[in-house]
Structures are given as C-alpha cells and as structure tokens.
Amino acid sequence: VQLQALGGGSVRPGGSLRLSCAVSGFESDRYCVGWFRQAPGKEREWVSQISMDDGRTAYTDSVKGRFSMSRDSAKNTAYLEMNDLRPEDTALYYCAADTRGYGSWSASDYDYWGQGTLVTVSS
C-alpha cells in the first residue's frame, strides 16, 4: 500500500489550498484516510479523517468550519480543502490510511503513511 500526498504550498493568511492523498495497492474501500500535521517544534497532531466507503468525516476543533474532506472512491483519492488559512496552520501535512476502517485521532492506529507535504501560511 502506498500513499502519495500532493498539494502543499505557500499562501497568505486567509488563502486556500487543496491537498490530495492518492492511495494505491489496497483493494477494498473499507478504510479511512486521515490527515495529520506537524509544525516545527511541535508534536504531530490529528487534523481530520474520512471513511472512504461512506464519506463520513471528522475534524479537530481548530479546523472545523475551515477545512473540509472529500473523496473520489473511483480514484482511491482523498482531498483536504483548506480555507481561511492561518499562520498557525503552517506545518508538514501527512496523510495516512487506517485499514481497519474506523479512523482515529491516534497516529498509532494508522497502518500506512504518505510523505509529508509542506503548507506555509505567511504574510
């Protein structure tokens, strides 16, 4: 199983970015894709997740109303739409797959990880 995260970049506060996470090598759609982020000097934190079979989503409080996840099951790809970005959103963003299908805020519950993609929000 491989995950490829794309879409990071540099934006000004209030700007938007869309991250994608393409999953390959997993036959079932009963898995969950989560996004985590790690800012310099801070621990990795869970941001959001989506169930690839039914599209259920969950978000950490700090991004609710600003970030939105969606998926294209046919492409095995999950998306993270980030709006109204703030400097505190600056981090390396990672996507991960939980093949149990439940999703979790705990990184240890995810089986496979993609490489990080850097998001920088600065004026």
Side-chain angles (χ1 to χ4, degrees):
V1 177
Q2 293 186 322
L3 285 76
Q4 184 178 30
L6 296 172
S10 296
V11 296
R12 295 183 183 276
S16 298
L17 282 173
R18 187 193 198 202
L19 306 183
S20 64
C21 178
V23 182
S24 60
F26 192 64
E27 296 301 322
S28 172
D29 64 352
R30 289 184 178 273
Y31 64 98
C32 189
V33 172
W35 284 98
F36 290 77
R37 65 186 180 186
Q38 188 165 18
K42 295 188 177 181
E43 293 191 356
R44 188 174 300 192
E45 67 167 339
W46 171 81
V47 176
S48 63
Q49 65 188 51
I50 189 167
S51 298
M52 295 299 283
D53 55 353
D54 63 10
R56 286 176 299 153
T57 57
Y59 304 91
T60 192
D61 285 347
S62 63
V63 307
K64 283 180 181 176
R66 301 188 298 123
F67 290 13
S68 176
M69 283 197 76
S70 61
R71 95 276 194 213
D72 184 333
S73 297
K75 296 181 179 180
N76 284 334
T77 300
Y79 302 96
L80 179 66
E81 185 77 33
M82 304 185 295
N83 298 311
D84 190 24
L85 283 161
R86 304 167 180 171
E88 54 264 37
D89 295 317
T90 295
L92 200 55
Y93 283 70
Y94 298 89
C95 64
D98 175 0
T99 57
R100 302 169 309 155
Y102 305 138
S104 169
W105 54 266
S106 175
S108 62
D109 288 331
Y110 288 80
D111 310 279
Y112 302 96
W113 290 79
Q115 83 290 0
T117 184
L118 183 62
V119 172
T120 303
V121 185
S122 174
S123 56

